[in-house]
Structures are given as C-alpha cells and as structure tokens.
Amino acid sequence: MIHPCGWYSQISDFLQVSYADWLESVQQHHIRCMHEPASQSQITAWKNSFQILQRELATLTECNQLAEDWSIIFEYELPREGGRRPDVVILGQGIVYVIECKDFGSFHQAHIDQVDAYARDLQHYHAHSHDQQVIPYLLLTKATSLLEESDDVKIISPDTLVEAILQEKDGPEDSLIYPVKWLHADYAPLPSLISAARSLFNHQALPQIRRALSAGIPQTIDALNTIAEHAYRNNERHLAFVTGVPGAGKTLVGIQFVYENTLIDSDISKNAVFLSGNGPLVQVLQHALGSTVFVQDVHKFLKQYGGTTSKIPLEHIWIYDEAQRAWDAERVQEKRGHFTSEPEDFLNIGERMDSWALMIALIGEGQEIHLGEESGLPQWNDALAEMQTPWIVHCPEKIASVFPAAAEIQTDESLDLTVTLRSHLAEDVSEWIQTLLEGNFVHAKELANHMYYQGFDMYLTNQLSVATSYVQDRYEGQVEKRYGLLASSKAKNLPDYGIHNEFNYTRMMKVGPWYNDPPHSRQSCCALHDVATEFSCQGLELDFPIVCWGSDFWWDDGRWHSPKKSGRMKAKDPHRLRMNSYRVLLSRGRDGFIIFVPPEPRMASTYEALKAAGIRELPNGSTVGAGVATSLQ
C-alpha cells in the first residue's frame, strides 16, 4: 500500500532511523507528488527539520513516556488539494499536531495563515480529524526562546517545541490516533467550480462534501430533475428560478444538472445546455472541459434562435446563469436588431417547440454590472404576460409575488441557496459585504471578527508589494492554488501602480489560461501580471485575490461615492453598477482576500473606512510587527 506521505512511523522508530533512509523516502514521495526532484534548498530545509525533530522528540519521550507510541508523519499530501502538504503531523492522544517548519528567525503573516489553513482544513474535511483537537504550530528553525500565539497558531522555536507540546492536555491512553487509519481517511475539500466541472465531465464522482450537502445543493438538483420529468411526461412548459447568495453554488447546480441530463440520461430529448452571458466564465469552462457543446454563450444562442427566426434548438432544457442580468429590449435592439427582451426570446422559443420545454433561470443577488441588465426579475414576468400558452413557474416563496402573469406558481424552498460555499466556513461574507456597502462599519466589524474565527482571512495594505509577497509566500509550492489581481474596470488611478485594468489591456487577457494555467505560466493569474475586472471574474473564484480598490468608489462624508453620471453614460443607475462591481470583486475569494488601496491622499478616507469595517492591516515590513502575537509563557 502506498501511503500519501513521505514518511510515517511511531516516534520511537523515528528516533532510530538514519537520515539517509528517511531522506530517500521523503524524496521519492516528492517526485510522486510534484513530478520533479526536490531542490537543494528543499533538501536543506528537510535536513534541518529532521535534526531538530529527532533531538527534541527524544526529549519529549523522556518527559512523557506515552509519546513513544505517538505517530509522526512527514509531508502528508492533502487529497485532491494539488500538492498541499503540511511539513509534519504528529498524532497523539486525541490531538493532531500540525507543524510547519520555516527556516526563519521571525514570522511572516503568510506562514501563520498557511499552517492555520492546514489545521482548519484537516479539522473540517478530514474524516478522522473531525472529533480530534487539531493544533497548528509554526516552527521557526532559526529562532530561539520563542513561544507565542497569533490567531490560534502556536509560534515556537526548536528549544520550545517540547514545552509547547507538554502544555496541551492529552486525552486518555485509549484515545491514541492510529496512523494508517488516519492517513487513508476520507478527505472531502470543497472543489472550485472549474475542478468540479472538470471532474463531472470526466465521469468522476464529486466528493460528498458536507458543506455542499448542508447547503441543500442535492435537494435543489433533485427538485429540478422532478420538474424536468414532470414537464417531459405532461408535455408542458415550465420556468424554474433558483436563487442564491454569491458563492452558494448556483453555477455548480447548473453544470451538474446539464451533466446529469445530457451525459448520463440516454434520452436525447432531455438534453440540456448551460448558457451564460458571462463571456469569461464560458471561456474558462470551455477551456477546462475541452468542449464548446455543454457550455455556451447565451447571446450567441439567442442570436441563432431568438427574435423572428423559426429555428428551434435541439435541447429542451436551457439553464441561464445569472438570469437576473438578462438584457432588456432596448439592449437587444441595440445588439441584435429586434425589440424583445432576452426573457421574452427564451419563452418564445419554448412556445415554438411542438412539445415540452424547461427554462431554468439561476438568479444571483445584487450583481448587475452591465448596461441593459438593470431591469432584473420583473422583465421575466413581463415576458410571461406576452405568452400565448400557459407557463408553470417554480420558485422560492420570497420571489413568488414577482410573477402574477404565470399560469400557475409552485413554491419550493429547496430552490433557494442561502449558504455561501465559495468562502469555506465564512457564511457571513455576503452579509459582511452588504453591511460594508451600506456603511454600517460597526456591524461589519462584528461580522469580520466572526469570519476570522471561522478561518476567512481579510487584509488591507497600501503597498502592492506587501500583498504580492503575502500570496506568494502563503501558497508557495501549492500548484492548484490560485491568486491574482482583481480591479474595477472604471478605476482610473490603478495603472499608475502597474495595475493595468484599461480596456486595451484587459481585452487581450486570455481568461481560460488565466484561471487554468499552472502558476509558472506567464498567462496564469498567479503570475500577477494580467488583471481581471468585474466582467472577467464574475461567477468565478480565486483562493486569495488581491482586490485593487480604485478611485471610482470612495468613502467620504459618511457615504460611498462614485463618479457622477455624464451625458455619455447610458446606465440608468451608474452608482448601483459601481457598488455591485465592488460586491463582485469582494466575493471572489475562497480563503480570503487582500485589499490594496493606493497610497493617495484622496484614498485615505476609504482606507480608514475599510479598517473600521474590521479588515486587518498587513504589516508593511516582511515580518509581523510587535504586538500582534501574545506570549504563552
């Protein structure tokens, strides 16, 4: 049996192993994981940690004889996490000690957050750690006499390792954690939308994610399957609305529904297609899936089948992502030459079909950012009022009153996704963003403190180099992790800082490689070169974005401001579009985000407002400053 680690044994056996034998095992595991030999600097770091742990654990067993039976694991590979590997895990009596070794004399915030994230993910996603105490340690190999705590992470030096472990209260002798069972326990991290879609279309089962289950995603898909079957059997036309907060999994629901009704169900009449007006999302998913069949651009779809054409599509089920952003009739007239809204175009297609149809509209909240998207849900009711045949509407109770023109309304609360998945455990992220945008900083700070406790990290800096150093340090060697620069398309001051959000730059960005390429690629988001705006990141996510806050949305005199509407501006409510753009930018992170505010006098009040809303400042030096950590001694 191949174990997902570089080395494991009881501590008593580790104290007897030779460095050469141990190193050979760790190196071979590294090659299996990373497909290349370890660098000399990595080998030096391994040697330092080996020597320190053999010496200090020998002392530990003298102080606590039971520790001889504990297990030590080096380079444990978190399953499906693309190479994330805590340096050391020690399995004690009811306690999992997670140790990250750094050859530094002082600590960086990125290193603290890295080991904290390891511990958090093991606690929540590792089946054999759910009921154990999981404690993160940052071991600085070049420090001495260091025993402190920051954000629940114990920061130690080699000479305090034993003291730190002895401070913990062990469980009873029969609570010893056995290594083989622990190493091969189920592990179900939350996949990104891209990796989930790729798994589905490669016929790989998605893991049974506890968080997705608790959010009700399986029930939502079951409800949609029931509606589809009913429409098919009774030759009816149905319109289903799935609502949800940002990051609640609406797009994943749509992708999985297409998969189940197109690639699993052999009945071709039930084929489904996923449609989106979000061009970057379409490109990224098509790039990831290697196919343009299952995910398509909604505007191209309606250009072929909408308006006065008599053509009808092969598919009877259409899933429209972010359907509240459907174009109104004025925008369709401008772009496609006929005066009907996109909702009316869709329902007209259903009317032309000689059998059944199911239109599934995935509805996000507060994310209208394009011209022509501001009419929202009511235009779907306007479209229903124009139809000649009856349409049955399915939706959550909270929006049922919007559709008086429906022939029949069936409410179903499983069609409302209220738990955000994007931000791991921070269920308050959406509420925090809303509270921030409302200017209620007192409540926002309360929510922020709860989010930090849950493991969602938010930082603020006016030095871009500090932000980029943080993400590079935190995710070093983690090839599946994604971080990058996000910025509002209307922020005119950001190019002065090398953040090229101008149209001529962003239109050249290849969004498929930006989200999918490995970190070493020049086109990858991790290269921190190209910038994604609200238009190219909506519906997608990064693990840790750097949100660059521009001069197009600023705090002053007790409220948020945006540039005044000019004669050239076609938007009905430009301030709402600016606000929603920042809502989108702030809701892209899975582990957290950093906000970079340019060091300009006019941006000072915005910086202070974000601080007041509970965002922590990143130190402007390379290490965490005095006063952040608290002594444990």
Side-chain angles (χ1 to χ4, degrees), residues 45 73 101 121 219 221 247 365 370 403 449 480 486 518 522 581:
I73 301 168
C101 304
D121 290 352
Q219 291 89 336
I221 294 172
E365 298 174 4
H370 287 273
F403 309 109
N449 290 334
E480 294 294 325
L486 303 183
R522 173 66 170 71
S581 293

Side-chain angles (χ1 to χ4, degrees), residues 109-319:
Q109 186 64 47
H111 299 155
I112 294 172
D113 293 341
Q114 180 186 21
V115 68
D116 192 32
Y118 285 146
R120 179 198 65 208
D121 290 352
L122 286 171
Q123 184 81 73
H124 290 280
Y125 302 141
H126 187 274
H128 205 48
S129 298
H130 292 329
D131 300 324
Q132 314 291 350
Q133 187 178 2
V134 182
I135 305 175
Y137 290 84
L138 177 60
L139 174 58
L140 303 178
T141 65
K142 295 184 178 180
T144 57
S145 304
L146 178 63
L147 184 53
E148 300 182 354
E149 182 172 341
S150 176
D151 296 335
D152 296 324
V153 174
K154 310 297 174 63
I155 306 168
I156 59 176
S157 52
D159 57 331
T160 61
L161 171 62
V162 174
E163 180 182 354
I165 291 177
L166 290 175
Q167 287 181 353
E168 307 301 339
K169 185 177 181 181
D170 295 334
E173 290 187 34
D174 62 0
S175 65
L176 187 66
I177 304 170
Y178 292 98
V180 174
K181 184 177 180 180
W182 191 91
L183 282 167
H184 294 279
D186 288 338
Y187 183 86
L190 179 67
S192 70
L193 169 65
I194 298 167
S195 62
R198 190 182 290 120
S199 294
L200 283 172
F201 283 81
N202 287 336
H203 303 282
Q204 301 170 14
L206 284 176
Q208 290 296 303
I209 305 161
R210 291 193 305 159
R211 189 163 171 74
L213 295 175
S214 66
I217 286 179
Q219 291 89 336
T220 304
I221 294 172
D222 287 346
L224 292 175
N225 279 322
T226 299
I227 294 169
E229 185 66 23
H230 189 85
Y232 171 66
R233 296 294 179 193
N234 294 283
N235 213 36
E236 295 174 337
R237 293 170 179 84
H238 290 244
L239 172 58
F241 293 91
V242 178
T243 59
V245 298
K250 299 182 297 297
T251 303
L252 179 58
V253 164
I255 291 290
Q256 185 159 343
F257 189 77
V258 169
Y259 170 76
E260 291 184 3
N261 284 275
T262 303
L263 295 184
I264 292 181
D265 196 318
S266 59
D267 188 342
I268 194 170
S269 68
K270 288 186 175 181
N271 278 5
V273 62
F274 182 91
L275 301 165
S276 175
N278 182 343
L281 173 66
V282 171
Q283 293 175 48
V284 169
L285 288 172
Q286 289 180 343
H287 183 269
L289 301 177
S291 171
T292 60
V293 175
F294 310 108
V295 177
Q296 298 179 27
D297 184 285
V298 69
H299 304 306
K300 294 178 180 177
F301 182 89
L302 289 178
K303 184 177 181 179
Q304 182 173 6
Y305 299 112
T308 59
T309 182
S310 60
K311 295 180 180 178
I312 58 173
L314 170 68
E315 300 88 1
H316 285 244
I317 303 173
W318 318 302
I319 299 97

Side-chain angles (χ1 to χ4, degrees), residues 30-106:
H30 181 90
I31 292 172
R32 288 196 301 272
C33 287
M34 307 304 293
H35 309 293
E36 62 183 14
S39 65
Q40 187 55 51
S41 62
Q42 176 65 77
I43 293 173
T44 299
W46 282 336
K47 182 177 182 180
N48 289 343
S49 62
F50 175 86
Q51 293 174 338
I52 289 168
L53 288 165
Q54 270 208 338
R55 181 182 69 241
E56 298 304 324
L57 293 181
T59 303
L60 176 66
T61 59
E62 292 173 2
C63 300
N64 180 1
Q65 191 172 357
L66 292 176
E68 291 184 351
D69 295 328
W70 296 2
S71 299
I72 185 168
I73 301 168
F74 289 89
E75 299 288 316
Y76 168 65
E77 182 183 6
L78 298 176
R80 296 191 294 272
E81 288 275 19
R84 290 181 70 206
R85 305 186 307 279
D87 289 337
V88 181
V89 174
I90 293 177
L91 305 178
Q93 292 158 231
I95 300 178
V96 178
Y97 302 88
V98 183
I99 304 174
E100 190 67 13
C101 304
K102 299 293 183 183
D103 286 339
F104 288 85
S106 55

Side-chain angles (χ1 to χ4, degrees), residues 199-450:
S199 294
L200 283 172
F201 283 81
N202 287 336
H203 303 282
Q204 301 170 14
L206 284 176
Q208 290 296 303
I209 305 161
R210 291 193 305 159
R211 189 163 171 74
L213 295 175
S214 66
I217 286 179
Q219 291 89 336
T220 304
I221 294 172
D222 287 346
L224 292 175
N225 279 322
T226 299
I227 294 169
E229 185 66 23
H230 189 85
Y232 171 66
R233 296 294 179 193
N234 294 283
N235 213 36
E236 295 174 337
R237 293 170 179 84
H238 290 244
L239 172 58
F241 293 91
V242 178
T243 59
V245 298
K250 299 182 297 297
T251 303
L252 179 58
V253 164
I255 291 290
Q256 185 159 343
F257 189 77
V258 169
Y259 170 76
E260 291 184 3
N261 284 275
T262 303
L263 295 184
I264 292 181
D265 196 318
S266 59
D267 188 342
I268 194 170
S269 68
K270 288 186 175 181
N271 278 5
V273 62
F274 182 91
L275 301 165
S276 175
N278 182 343
L281 173 66
V282 171
Q283 293 175 48
V284 169
L285 288 172
Q286 289 180 343
H287 183 269
L289 301 177
S291 171
T292 60
V293 175
F294 310 108
V295 177
Q296 298 179 27
D297 184 285
V298 69
H299 304 306
K300 294 178 180 177
F301 182 89
L302 289 178
K303 184 177 181 179
Q304 182 173 6
Y305 299 112
T308 59
T309 182
S310 60
K311 295 180 180 178
I312 58 173
L314 170 68
E315 300 88 1
H316 285 244
I317 303 173
W318 318 302
I319 299 97
Y320 187 1
D321 197 26
E322 301 292 351
Q324 81 285 354
R325 297 171 55 196
W327 284 356
D328 56 26
E330 290 85 355
R331 188 65 167 171
V332 174
Q333 172 74 45
E334 178 185 345
K335 290 295 186 179
R336 293 199 283 271
H338 60 88
F339 196 75
T340 52
S341 69
E342 288 188 338
E344 191 172 344
D345 270 345
F346 269 117
L347 300 191
N348 279 332
I349 296 170
E351 299 249 299
R352 290 201 305 271
M353 300 185 78
D354 59 1
S355 59
W356 67 287
L358 171 58
M359 176 79 227
I360 299 174
L362 307 178
I363 304 297
E365 298 174 4
Q367 298 191 63
E368 300 83 10
I369 59 176
H370 287 273
L371 292 174
E373 296 178 350
E374 299 163 274
S375 299
L377 278 178
Q379 64 178 336
W380 286 92
N381 183 66
D382 295 341
L384 286 166
E386 296 296 324
M387 294 303 106
Q388 303 300 310
T389 59
W391 283 77
I392 300 172
V393 169
H394 306 261
C395 65
E397 178 66 34
K398 68 181 184 182
I399 62 170
S401 62
V402 178
F403 309 109
E408 179 183 346
I409 298 178
Q410 298 182 9
T411 60
D412 186 341
E413 295 313 300
S414 67
L415 299 179
D416 185 26
L417 298 170
T418 60
V419 178
T420 181
L421 299 177
R422 178 179 297 125
S423 306
H424 285 312
L425 308 177
E427 297 181 2
D428 296 321
V429 173
S430 296
E431 184 181 355
W432 177 84
I433 294 171
Q434 178 62 30
T435 306
L436 170 74
L437 296 177
E438 290 171 351
N440 186 350
F441 300 148
V442 173
H443 184 42
K445 188 171 184 178
E446 294 172 353
L447 291 169
N449 290 334
H450 183 57

Side-chain angles (χ1 to χ4, degrees), residues 6 20 22-32 36-39 43 46:
W22 175 88
L23 180 63
E24 174 67 19
S25 177
V26 173
Q27 284 182 307
Q28 290 303 314
H29 175 69
H30 181 90
I31 292 172
R32 288 196 301 272
E36 62 183 14
S39 65
I43 293 173
W46 282 336

Side-chain angles (χ1 to χ4, degrees), residues 503-558:
F503 176 74
N504 286 338
Y505 279 89
T506 56
R507 72 185 180 91
M508 300 298 292
M509 185 183 81
K510 298 183 182 300
V511 292
W514 197 82
Y515 284 97
N516 290 317
D517 273 12
H520 60 76
S521 168
R522 173 66 170 71
Q523 295 181 313
S524 170
C525 57
C526 298
L528 298 172
H529 180 267
D530 294 325
V531 180
T533 68
E534 67 272 25
F535 301 124
S536 49
C537 73
Q538 188 171 38
L540 293 157
E541 57 191 19
L542 297 173
D543 292 288
F544 217 96
I546 299 173
V547 178
C548 304
W549 201 288
S551 56
D552 61 327
F553 195 67
W554 69 95
W555 179 265
D556 188 42
D557 196 26

